[in-house]
């Protein structure tokens, strides 16, 4: 077998017996492999097929014409075609494009498309039984009579169900089948549920909303590639506006993909979709059962499921006829996948729209600098919603200067914030305290010798989770009960918790407001969509006065009684060397602030900060988002950083520190040079040890016009890492760990 890099053929290409075809396998190999179409077989580009691979059998996709060059005698025959719609041309182009952009093997990207191998074969129909209208004579028994009675007034049912309803064993049903009293019928494996209905009227849009919705709808109707930024303040009704584009795509008979961050927490979103379209959308996220995945994948491939809402991986579903993409909260960094194929789903969604020649809407109240600059330059259209729906005002934002407040030691709620909370509770309203730290305390140290409890596998402190009684690493999952003795000085009971997490904050609140009904909302206390939906309901029902939450409650939610939001440590995200630290902190705090005062009652936001004059705090206080973005763009321009320059990270990792160092140094020695090219490093990554692997990092910085992937590809080809050392490229990095 020989590798090729042949481009994708068009969808209509047909391959006849004896012809050589290129097959892409869902494996991290460099390219396609050639096979021969077997006797009496006709294949089409995109077909899923079985092929021999060494001694095994593998499923691959017909990618195009064979590259040739394989000896006739070595060429193997395709074993068979799977009963599945072929992978559409757009999806195949998308695989190739994503692979080239992210410097991944195309097969590794295809593997994300073929994430549910079982879905490639049709579901087995369920056999049900009905009364035979012309039965042979058979011996009646009490049990047999009961089975017949059940069927007399009901639809056909599978044997097990019949037996259960008749209160008998399955042998009785089988006996009736053998005797010819019952006849089998095939039922579909899974009844198709109702599909969303675009004819339902939806709410009356305000004049502003209507003005924003019309061009979106027109773009969907017209088809063709376009990107629109839907930029609207929190609570302005962006969802209702982009639902109009969804409705239009449905009217055209096409499919729609809505990407949402942290879909598992989207209970409110799902309800709104249901209210608007009368049926639930297909869902795609990590909390599905294997059966649900199989069903949805297949239904998307067959074009039956019209709307899919999902997390980033939904982008790789094999849509039969995708006509519209929406990326909600487009700025959210959880769209970036950080392992395996490293990609940003927001950016790849734009590419997918371009390849499919369809419109895409990017919605956010705090669009990323990338998107804002694209809108300003005219590459993207822009629709603006400046006001909250139904006249609700944006909340008033104030900073609390923590240098001036008399906050007792080991306490984190300042007197000003405490007064704000007291007033809110007294009004019968709800409050939210935002602290982006899970657990009880981020650091545990020995009061005697100063030893800090650290993860054995990572350069990270262990976080105390007091409710679970454990010290945990938030990077690798390591956990252990707190030791009795300090591992360093061996003194007993000398540990002190340093700093607050949400659990500790809840303790302080219980002292300050013993009557307040408080819940903690963090990723570890809200495991799964059901827990999230329960919490949402409790908050909506006013069974809760105060939500203490991490970023999981920062976005999207709409709680009418919530009027006060307090950021306990507004400065938290500003530390560290992340180029987007300020932008992200601004987005996150703006989003959290957006939870306050959404329905008529005035909202208030209090930011506890030691840096009230920091541009982020000032922009939030003055409501000057655009001014902040302008300044931020200028500082990136000066530093030639994205989106005004291009950046890629190269991470060298492995269990043997010396080998990792040696590889990193040789990358440093062979680093590309040029007028617009800068290479920084190698240097230990901030997480110099992660999951037991040592890590070194290099950064490649180029001008915006440079072909970064080309430079990177050539560079990485010059260095052959030893076994057990891995070199990983991260184009457009978001995480600087
Ligand atoms: P955003 O996504 O911009 O933050 P939402 O779409 O969540 O705003 O809208 C905020 C609230 O206002 C939601 O409860 C939504 O149902 C309601 N809403 C928005 N537009 C309308 C409308 N035209 N008619 C009725 N309710 C609306
Ligand atoms: Zn760890």
């Amino acid at each position: 077998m020989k590798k090729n890099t042949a481009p994708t053929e068009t969808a209509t290409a047909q391959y006849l017996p004896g012809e050589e075809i290129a097959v892409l396998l869902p494996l991290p190999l460099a390219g396609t492999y050639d096979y021969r179409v077997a006797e009496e077989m006709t294949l089409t580009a995109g077909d899923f097929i079985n092929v021999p691979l060494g001694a095994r059998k593998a499923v691959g996709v017909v990618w195009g014409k064979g590259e040739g060059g394989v000896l006739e005698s070595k060429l193997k025959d395709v074993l068979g075609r799977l009963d599945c719609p072929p992978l559409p041309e757009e999806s195949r182009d998308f695989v190739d494009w994503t692979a080239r952009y992210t410097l991944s093997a195309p097969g590794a990207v295809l593997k994300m498309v073929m994430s549910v191998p079982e879905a490639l074969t049709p579901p087995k129909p369920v056999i049900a039984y009905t009364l035979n209208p012309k039965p042979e004579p058979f011996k009646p028994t009490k049990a047999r009579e009961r089975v017949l009675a059940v069927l007399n007034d009901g639809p056909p049912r599978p044997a097990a169900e019949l037996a259960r309803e008749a209160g008998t064993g399955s042998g009785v049903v089988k006996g009736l089948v053998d005797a010819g009293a019952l006849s089998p019928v095939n039922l579909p494996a899974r009844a198709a549920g109702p599909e969303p209905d675009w004819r339902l009227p939806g709410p009356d849009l305000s004049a502003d909303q209507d003005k924003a919705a019309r061009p979106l709808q027109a773009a969907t109707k017209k088809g063709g590639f376009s990107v629109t930024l839907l930029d609207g303040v929190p609570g302005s009704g962006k969802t209702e506006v982009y639902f109009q584009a969804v409705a239009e795509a449905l009217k055209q008979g096409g499919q729609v993909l809505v990407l949402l961050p942290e879909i598992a927490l989207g209970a409110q979103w799902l309800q709104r979709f249901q209210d608007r379209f009368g049926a639930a959308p297909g869902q795609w996220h990590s909390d599905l059962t294997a059966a649900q995945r199989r069903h949805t994948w297949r239904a998307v491939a067959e074009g039956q499921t019209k709307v899919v809402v999902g997390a980033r991986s939904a982008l790789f579903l094999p849509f039969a006829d995708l006509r519209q993409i929406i990326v909600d909260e487009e700025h959210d960094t959880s769209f970036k996948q950080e392992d395996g194929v490293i990609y940003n789903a927001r950016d790849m969604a734009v590419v997918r729209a371009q390849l499919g020649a369809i419109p895409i809407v990017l919605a956010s109240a705090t669009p990323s600098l990338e998107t804002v600059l694209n809108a300003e330059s005219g590459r993207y259209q822009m629709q603006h919603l400046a006001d909250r729906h139904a006249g609700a005002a944006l909340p008033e934002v104030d900073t609390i200067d923590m240098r001036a407040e008399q906050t007792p030691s080991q306490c984190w709620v300042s007197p000003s914030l405490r007064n704000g909370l007291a007033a809110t509770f007294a009004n019968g309203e709800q409050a939210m305290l935002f602290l982006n730290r899970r657990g009880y305390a981020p650091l545990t140290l020995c009061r005697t010798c100063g030893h800090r409890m650290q993860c054995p596998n990572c350069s990270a402190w262990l976080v105390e989770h007091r409710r679970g009684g454990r010290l945990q690493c938030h990077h690798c999952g390591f956990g252990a009960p707190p030791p009795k003795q300090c591992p360093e000085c061996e003194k007993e009971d000398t540990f002190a918790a340093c700093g607050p997490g949400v659990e500790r904050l809840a303790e302080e609140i219980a002292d300050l407001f013993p009557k307040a009904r408080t819940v903690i909302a963090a990723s570890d206390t809200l495991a799964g969509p059901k827990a999230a939906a329960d919490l949402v309901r409790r908050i909506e029902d006013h069974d809760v006065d105060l939500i203490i939450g991490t970023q999981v409650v920062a976005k999207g939610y709409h709680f009418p009684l919530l009027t006060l939001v307090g950021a306990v440590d507004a400065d938290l995200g500003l530390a560290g060397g992340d180029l987007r630290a300020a932008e992200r902190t601004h987005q996150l705090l703006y989003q959290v602030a957006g939870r306050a005062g959404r329905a008529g009652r005035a909202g208030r936001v209090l930011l506890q900060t030691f840096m009230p004059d920091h541009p982020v705090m000032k922009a939030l206080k003055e409501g000057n988002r655009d001014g902040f973005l302008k300044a931020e763009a200028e500082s990136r321009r000066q530093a030639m950083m994205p989106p005004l320059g291009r950046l890629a990270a190269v991470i060298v990792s492995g269990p043997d520190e010396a080998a990792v160092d040696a590889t990193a140094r040789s990358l440093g020695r062979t680093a590309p040079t040029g007028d617009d090219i800068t290479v920084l490093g190698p240097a230990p990554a901030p997480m110099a040890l992660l999951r037991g692997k040592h890590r070194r990092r290099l950064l490649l910085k180029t001008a915006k016009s440079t072909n970064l992937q080309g430079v990177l590809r050539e560079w990485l080809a010059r260095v052959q890492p030893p076994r057990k050392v891995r070199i990983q490229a991260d184009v457009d990095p978001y995480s600087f760990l």
Side-chain angles (χ1 to χ4, degrees):
M1 289 192 286
K2 179 182 163 302
K3 298 171 198 165
N4 353 305
T5 47
T8 332
E9 291 280 306
T10 57
T12 47
Q14 289 232 319
Y15 304 99
L16 303 173
E19 272 190 79
E20 282 175 37
I21 53 168
V23 176
L24 188 63
L25 297 163
L27 299 167
L29 307 167
T32 55
Y33 286 102
D34 276 2
Y35 286 91
R36 182 172 47 217
V37 182
E39 293 292 309
E40 298 182 9
M41 190 183 268
T42 305
L43 294 177
T44 306
D47 274 339
F48 291 93
I49 54 173
N50 272 314
V51 293
L53 183 69
R56 297 188 297 133
K57 203 167 85 169
V59 178
V61 177
V62 179
W63 218 247
K65 212 193 308 200
E67 170 109 318
V70 182
L71 279 182
E72 187 68 25
S73 57
K74 289 265 173 75
L75 204 59
K76 294 201 177 130
D77 276 359
V78 173
L79 300 173
R81 200 187 80 89
L82 280 76
D83 185 0
C84 181
L87 188 64
E89 186 181 4
E90 290 91 354
S91 292
R92 283 178 281 133
D93 289 347
F94 185 49
V95 167
D96 283 331
W97 208 101
T98 305
R100 276 198 304 274
Y101 191 85
T102 60
L103 270 76
S104 311
V109 182
L110 181 64
K111 188 152 192 267
M112 301 197 293
V113 173
M114 294 170 59
S115 59
V116 195
E118 315 81 60
L120 297 171
T121 46
K124 285 204 187 65
V126 174
I127 297 174
Y129 293 96
T130 175
L131 293 177
N132 186 349
K134 290 186 205 145
E136 307 276 320
F138 61 90
K139 189 167 121 255
T141 64
K142 281 252 162 60
R144 284 183 166 189
E145 298 289 353
R146 284 204 304 275
V147 173
L148 297 175
V150 167
L151 275 176
N152 241 333
D153 52 28
R157 264 158 284 189
E161 215 176 305
L162 267 179
R164 196 176 54 242
E165 283 185 50
T168 170
S170 58
V172 176
V173 178
K174 189 169 179 300
L176 280 169
V177 174
D178 293 344
L182 302 182
S183 357
V185 288
N186 283 346
L187 292 185
R190 195 180 166 128
E195 278 300 318
D197 184 358
W198 58 268
R199 289 179 193 83
L200 294 177
D204 288 331
L205 297 187
S206 69
D208 279 356
Q209 290 174 337
D210 188 58
K211 192 161 155 272
R214 276 173 193 278
L216 300 187
Q217 221 172 331
T220 312
K221 190 165 179 184
K222 180 159 150 265
F225 172 61
S226 64
V227 189
T228 308
L229 164 61
L230 178 57
D231 174 9
V233 300
S236 56
K238 294 184 288 297
T239 318
E240 302 299 342
V241 169
Y242 71 64
F243 275 172
Q244 293 301 99
V246 174
E248 183 63 39
L250 290 174
K251 186 174 171 189
Q252 308 290 325
Q255 291 172 302
V256 179
L257 168 63
V258 183
L259 291 179
L260 284 179
E262 291 170 68
I263 168 68
L265 302 172
Q268 280 191 325
W269 192 96
L270 289 171
Q271 188 56 51
R272 282 174 65 184
F273 186 91
Q274 173 93 35
D275 292 347
R276 174 68 178 80
F277 294 106
Q283 294 185 47
W284 195 257
H285 51 77
S286 54
D287 275 313
L288 301 177
T289 64
Q292 285 169 325
R293 282 176 175 278
R294 178 180 179 160
H295 173 77
T296 302
W297 196 98
R298 184 98 193 168
V300 169
E302 291 175 349
Q304 280 163 8
T305 289
K306 296 297 182 195
V307 182
V308 176
V309 53
R312 57 189 180 225
S313 60
L315 196 52
F316 292 94
L317 284 169
F319 289 95
D321 185 14
L322 188 60
R323 300 276 183 94
Q324 173 75 55
I325 303 177
I326 314 276
V327 183
D328 202 350
E329 312 285 5
E330 69 87 31
H331 63 278
D332 199 286
T333 49
S334 74
F335 283 125
K336 182 80 194 263
Q337 163 136 325
E338 298 287 0
D339 49 30
V341 176
I342 299 179
Y343 68 94
N344 184 323
R346 191 261 328 271
D347 297 342
M348 293 302 115
V350 173
V351 170
R352 177 67 182 78
Q354 186 159 26
L355 292 172
I358 57 171
I360 177 169
V361 174
L362 308 177
S364 176
T366 52
S368 62
L369 193 55
E370 277 79 0
T371 299
V372 167
L373 293 181
N374 277 322
E376 279 176 5
S377 73
R379 286 185 55 197
Y380 293 179
Q381 322 282 316
M382 168 128 77
Q383 294 303 329
H384 214 81
L385 293 169
D387 299 312
R388 284 190 154 178
H389 177 67
L394 281 171
E396 189 185 312
V397 180
D398 280 311
T399 50
I400 296 176
D401 185 347
M402 294 301 277
R403 296 166 306 187
E405 293 271 330
Q406 303 291 321
T407 313
S409 86
Q410 305 297 304
C411 288
W412 289 275
V413 176
S414 65
S416 302
L417 182 54
R418 189 168 75 194
N419 292 340
L421 287 168
T424 306
F425 298 147
N427 274 344
E429 294 168 348
Q430 293 168 316
M432 179 186 281
L433 286 182
F434 172 68
L435 176 62
N436 210 6
R437 265 191 182 141
R438 288 191 281 138
Y440 187 83
L443 169 65
T444 300
L445 61 72
C446 171
R447 267 177 309 218
T448 307
C449 74
H451 176 78
R452 297 165 172 206
M453 293 301 289
Q454 193 162 6
C455 175
N457 313 315
C458 305
S459 332
W461 296 333
L462 291 173
V463 177
E464 182 182 0
H465 286 249
R466 195 162 280 189
R467 293 186 170 188
R470 287 173 89 74
L471 295 175
Q472 277 185 339
C473 174
H474 284 181
H475 298 277
C476 71
F478 172 88
K484 189 103 185 94
Q485 276 188 336
C486 171
E488 188 71 30
C489 69
E490 303 189 344
K491 293 253 166 49
E492 288 198 1
D493 298 321
T494 59
F495 286 120
C498 295
V502 284
E503 285 182 13
R504 196 173 197 180
L505 191 59
E507 221 174 67
E508 184 178 345
I509 290 295
D511 283 343
L512 294 175
F513 300 101
K515 290 220 191 82
R517 297 162 300 170
T518 302
V519 288
I520 295 179
S523 57
D524 50 339
T525 64
L526 281 185
K530 198 178 161 301
D534 281 353
L535 177 69
V536 166
R537 213 200 50 242
R538 284 174 60 203
I539 299 170
E540 286 172 347
D541 292 351
H542 202 184
D543 288 343
V544 166
D545 301 306
L546 175 67
I547 306 147
I548 297 181
T550 63
Q551 61 183 354
V552 300
V553 287
K555 54 205 153 196
Y557 290 110
H558 180 77
F559 299 123
L561 269 184
L562 182 68
T563 55
L564 176 71
V565 165
V568 173
D569 184 354
D571 308 333
L572 192 56
L574 292 172
D578 189 325
L579 83 97
R580 292 184 184 81
E583 184 189 356
R584 256 193 233 176
T585 303
H586 180 268
Q587 284 164 345
L588 190 55
L589 292 174
Y590 187 95
Q591 294 279 347
V592 192
R595 297 316 107 209
R598 288 170 70 94
R601 294 169 187 247
R604 197 164 171 223
V605 178
L606 297 171
L607 306 173
Q608 295 195 144
T609 174
F610 286 90
M611 304 183 274
D613 294 325
H614 191 285
V616 168
M617 304 307 152
K618 281 175 100 166
L620 287 163
K621 201 171 155 174
E622 293 160 9
N624 186 6
R625 186 196 80 182
D626 293 345
F628 170 76
L629 285 172
K630 220 182 201 109
E632 187 66 18
E634 191 43 43
S635 79
R636 304 262 186 101
R637 194 186 312 274
Q638 279 171 15
M640 224 171 85
M641 279 293 188
L644 295 134
R646 301 205 60 199
L647 191 66
V650 175
I651 302 277
V652 186
S653 63
D656 176 4
E657 189 167 9
V660 169
D661 259 332
T663 305
R665 275 197 306 271
S666 71
L667 277 169
R669 273 194 306 275
T670 55
T673 50
D675 278 351
D676 292 325
I677 297 177
T678 316
V679 172
L680 306 171
M687 296 284 293
L689 185 68
L690 182 63
R691 295 184 201 98
K693 304 246 166 63
H694 296 274
R695 301 165 81 242
R696 301 291 179 267
R697 193 180 69 176
L698 299 100
L699 283 174
L700 168 65
K701 219 166 74 163
T702 73
K704 198 155 168 66
S705 54
T706 305
N707 172 5
L708 176 115
Q709 276 86 355
V711 173
L712 194 53
R713 201 170 283 121
E714 263 183 41
W715 177 23
L716 299 187
R718 290 197 280 269
V719 176
Q720 198 43 284
R723 244 167 47 84
K724 292 203 169 168
V725 173
R726 180 152 184 238
I727 300 179
Q728 208 177 15
D730 179 358
V731 176
D732 311 330
Y734 276 71
S735 162
F736 291 84
L737 289 180

